[in-house]
Structures are given as C-alpha cells and as structure tokens.
C-alpha cells in the first residue's frame, strides 16, 4: 500500500497547487456599479459562460477533490 499512498500524495500536492492558482486568478466579489442598477444585468445572467464562471466551477471541483484526497490520505489502511 506504500505505492498507493505515494501516488495519492503526489496527486494531492498537484490538486493543492492547482487550487491555489485558480483561487488567486479569480477577481474579487465586489459589487461595483451593477448592484446600483439592480444586479439583473447581462453579466449576471451569463457569467457561467465567462472565464470567471469557469474559474468558479474549477474551484468547486478542485475543492471537492482536495477534501476527498485529504480524507483518503488520513485513513490508516492506505
């Protein structure tokens, strides 16, 4: 089981680095002038298709992978 632990640790480190890069690449959640106008703008309706929307999706996927790998590496039988 030593090889499995090494492989999972390498994947865990890569996921950690990718998660750090993706989080740092995102813009802040400041409201800006869109909140004054009501917030129901074209940007609000289509932000899932933008690069920022993709960053949010990748962040969620990497965060789940990070938690699952952390739990797996913490188990004593691996």
């Amino acid at each position: 089981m030593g090889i499995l632990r090494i492989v999972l640790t390498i994947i865990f480190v890569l996921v950690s680095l990718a998660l750090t890069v993706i989080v740092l690449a995102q813009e802040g959640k400041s409201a800006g002038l869109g909140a004054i106008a009501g917030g129901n703008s074209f940007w609000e309706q289509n932000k899932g298709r933008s690069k920022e929307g993709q960053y949010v999706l990748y962040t969620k996927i990497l965060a789940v992978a990070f938690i699952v790998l952390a739990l797996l590496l913490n188990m004593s039988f691996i």
Side-chain angles (χ1 to χ4, degrees):
M1 291 292 180
I3 294 175
L4 180 61
R5 184 177 273 301
I6 292 171
V7 170
L8 286 176
T9 303
I10 291 171
I11 294 171
F12 183 69
V13 169
L14 293 176
V15 166
S16 301
L17 291 173
L19 185 61
T20 302
V21 169
I22 292 292
V23 167
L24 290 176
Q26 292 181 20
E27 295 179 7
K29 295 285 185 181
S30 60
L33 293 177
I36 297 172
N40 194 8
S41 64
F42 178 77
W43 166 252
E44 289 291 325
Q45 294 173 357
N46 294 311
K47 68 180 176 180
R49 298 180 187 179
S50 68
K51 185 179 274 190
E52 190 67 28
Q54 290 177 350
Y55 283 159
V56 171
L57 175 66
Y58 296 149
T59 302
K60 290 177 184 177
I61 292 170
L62 287 172
V64 169
F66 179 85
I67 292 170
V68 169
L69 285 170
L71 290 174
L72 283 175
L73 286 170
N74 196 28
M75 291 183 180
S76 60
F77 61 87
I78 292 182

